[in-house]
Amino acid sequence: MDEYSRFVDWDKMDASAQSQDTKELTCTDLHELKQLARQGYWSKNHSLRAKVYHKLISNIPCRTVTPDANVYRDIVVKIIGKRNSSSLPLPEFVDNSLIPTYCLNAEGIGAVRKIILCIANQFPDISFCPALPSVTALLLHYSKDEAECFEQVCRILACNDPSRRLIDQTFLAFESSCMTFGDLVNKYCQAAHKLMVAVSEDVLEVYSDWQRWLFGELPMAYIARIFDVFLVEGYKVLYRVALALLKFFHKVRAGQPMESDSIQQDIRAFVRDIAKSVSPERLLEKAFAIRLFSRKEIQLLQMANEKALQQKGITVKQKRQNVHLAVHAENFKSEIVSVKEMRDIWSWIPERFALCQPLLLFTTLEHGCSLSRSVGLTCPLTGLQPEVERYEWVIIKHPELASTGSETENHAQTASSSLSSSSIPSDPSDRLSPFLAARHFNLPSKTASMFMAGSSECIIVGGGDGQALYLDADLNHGRTSHCNTFNNQPLCSESFQISIL
């Protein structure tokens, strides 16, 4: 065994991880390093992986004063004393019931608790960090002693590169990550998202479990492969893998009966037993096949979700569940849509807007059917019958591009192709949708014109068949000066409501 074997129970480890070939890692080029990490170059050599981790973590830019191995040796006796490490209570900012052992021996399991308590002593600003036990247990595998593991975890926590996100350390950061994941699922896993909405009472609560899938439920061989890439490429990798897990869950469980009160447990069980259906290589392959947003775009979306939480005063963990769901099924009443249909509609709303209570602006039951009082919008924005459909929302600052009469059929194509970076608000928190970059509107022909676009001057609603409704309106005052047909049908006069968030 090598010098990094002190805390490992080799009887529980994959035999291939004990390979002692002479492979070395000498490359410094980031692109090449990414490829090696994704290919698992050091995954079959325990000692080599330990050296790579040490090198990668040593290069993380950190605060000027970051606790190191010597600090651990100085404080561990004072903090732990003669207490039995296996029974040590952990700080409140971690989940005491979710401490993965990752094939550690008895000494290693106790060491994880000691290290976490010493970290809590040195990082009083950490208020919520459920991933910490998993990260500590994993790095202990590849550490010579407790002090070295402590130093490596501290460097990850003390990263001060504003462009490099590593581990969430506050409830605000964690909750906004969950909201961002929900937005990404809505965009990139639509089939799985549809299933989640159908079987779950609160889909947002299901998605709030995403970090637990990675840092708690995944077997050691899987999280180690993910961590290889995470240390090289950063936080975006975690979103990729979580999306891939949800896609595989949907593939395996689609068509099987599921209960709303067990969906979270079903996903956790699937992740724990993932070796029965998906290999680590296949999981990563699926993850990197997803054409995800750029790191900058994800960062902007995260910032927008954080701002929304702050505005609602949700910055610390609360005992009440579903802190970011504003519409609850038990309180919902409508003569137009059912509770199930409302859940479908609400699941399409970007996570940060789901925080807001909807405000009723117009209903024909109270205001009649006068177009002058309907804020200019007199057609369905979604289709719930016979199949649930929705229209993407985009922003246009060039209403003159949309014309009336014979050019109506070109509105959808014109609107999509005319979007540019200059039409996007400079403040990301003011975006009406997280999916505003022009390159994201290369939709398949089937849905190429299914979109909504608008400004204070006009609204265009694509109908899915190359036709569109064009409204030239002063939305601030609810005046409509022009309105065409929608899908060759006259504007409906049946009862409807308009709400705004």
Side-chain angles (χ1 to χ4, degrees), residues 222-484:
Y222 290 75
I223 188 59
R225 285 296 305 277
I226 295 166
F227 209 76
D228 292 346
V229 190
F230 167 73
L231 286 178
V232 177
E233 302 189 37
Y235 200 89
K236 183 178 175 180
V237 170
L238 305 182
Y239 284 132
R240 285 188 175 279
V241 176
L243 290 171
L245 286 171
L246 196 59
K247 282 178 176 286
F248 279 121
F249 174 79
H250 172 259
K251 182 178 180 180
V252 171
R253 294 298 303 273
Q256 300 181 21
M258 285 184 283
E259 300 295 333
S260 61
D261 57 352
S262 65
I263 187 65
Q264 282 182 288
Q265 296 301 326
D266 288 346
I267 298 178
R268 291 176 186 177
F270 170 79
V271 175
R272 283 195 299 270
D273 298 330
I274 194 171
K276 296 178 180 178
S277 53
V278 182
S279 68
E281 291 76 19
R282 182 72 183 98
L283 178 62
L284 288 175
E285 179 184 339
K286 185 73 168 180
F288 287 104
I290 301 172
R291 300 189 65 180
L292 202 60
F293 290 149
S294 69
R295 182 184 303 177
K296 183 177 181 180
E297 288 171 310
I298 291 178
Q299 186 178 24
L300 291 175
L301 179 56
Q302 184 96 18
M303 290 168 56
N305 285 328
E306 283 193 9
K307 183 175 180 180
L309 286 166
Q310 288 174 321
Q311 291 174 339
K312 284 293 179 179
I314 302 173
T315 58
V316 297
K317 184 172 176 60
Q318 303 178 14
K319 293 182 179 180
R320 184 175 65 85
Q321 294 183 339
N322 308 331
V323 296
H324 57 276
L325 183 62
V327 173
H328 298 280
E330 60 271 18
N331 299 324
F332 176 75
K333 294 180 180 179
S334 173
E335 297 182 8
I336 299 177
V337 295
S338 65
V339 172
K340 170 61 172 62
E341 290 170 335
M342 187 58 188
R343 279 169 44 195
D344 287 332
I345 295 172
W346 206 252
S347 71
W348 297 331
I349 300 174
E351 296 283 300
R352 62 187 178 280
F353 296 144
L355 290 166
C356 306
Q357 290 287 348
L359 174 65
L360 180 64
L361 294 183
F362 177 86
T363 170
T364 54
L365 293 177
E366 296 180 14
H367 304 99
C369 298
S370 172
L371 293 179
S372 64
R373 294 196 295 269
S374 66
V375 299
L377 191 50
T378 58
C379 66
L381 302 184
T382 61
L384 300 176
Q385 300 293 337
E387 293 185 3
V388 175
E389 296 288 353
R390 62 170 170 159
Y391 302 90
E392 294 288 345
W393 178 274
V394 296
I395 293 177
I396 289 181
K397 286 197 172 179
H398 302 286
E400 69 277 3
L401 294 176
S403 59
T404 62
S406 62
E407 298 182 7
T408 300
E409 66 273 11
N410 296 322
H411 287 155
Q413 180 178 354
T414 303
S416 293
S417 63
S418 65
L419 286 173
S420 65
S421 58
S422 63
S423 68
I424 299 175
S426 57
D427 184 353
S429 65
D430 291 335
R431 294 181 173 188
L432 295 179
S433 166
F435 315 123
L436 296 179
R439 65 185 178 86
H440 295 306
F441 293 96
N442 296 322
L443 301 175
S445 58
K446 181 180 178 180
T447 58
S449 60
M450 295 182 64
F451 73 99
M452 297 193 309
S455 69
S456 60
E457 289 81 20
C458 76
I459 288 179
I460 302 173
V461 182
D465 60 354
Q467 300 192 50
L469 165 70
Y470 169 65
L471 297 171
D472 179 9
D474 181 349
L475 297 183
N476 293 325
H477 298 86
R479 294 194 299 269
T480 302
S481 58
H482 181 82
C483 184
N484 281 335

Side-chain angles (χ1 to χ4, degrees), residues 106-159:
E107 182 183 6
I109 294 173
V112 170
R113 291 180 172 270
K114 292 166 63 177
I115 293 169
I116 291 175
L117 285 170
C118 290
I119 288 173
N121 176 267
Q122 294 295 301
F123 289 84
D125 54 329
I126 295 180
S127 59
F128 195 75
C129 191
L132 183 59
S134 177
V135 172
T136 304
L138 179 62
L139 289 178
L140 192 60
H141 263 270
Y142 307 101
S143 302
K144 296 177 182 178
D145 55 28
E146 296 172 11
E148 184 176 271
C149 179
F150 170 85
E151 179 174 323
Q152 292 193 77
V153 178
C154 286
R155 291 194 64 83
I156 292 175
L157 293 171
C159 176

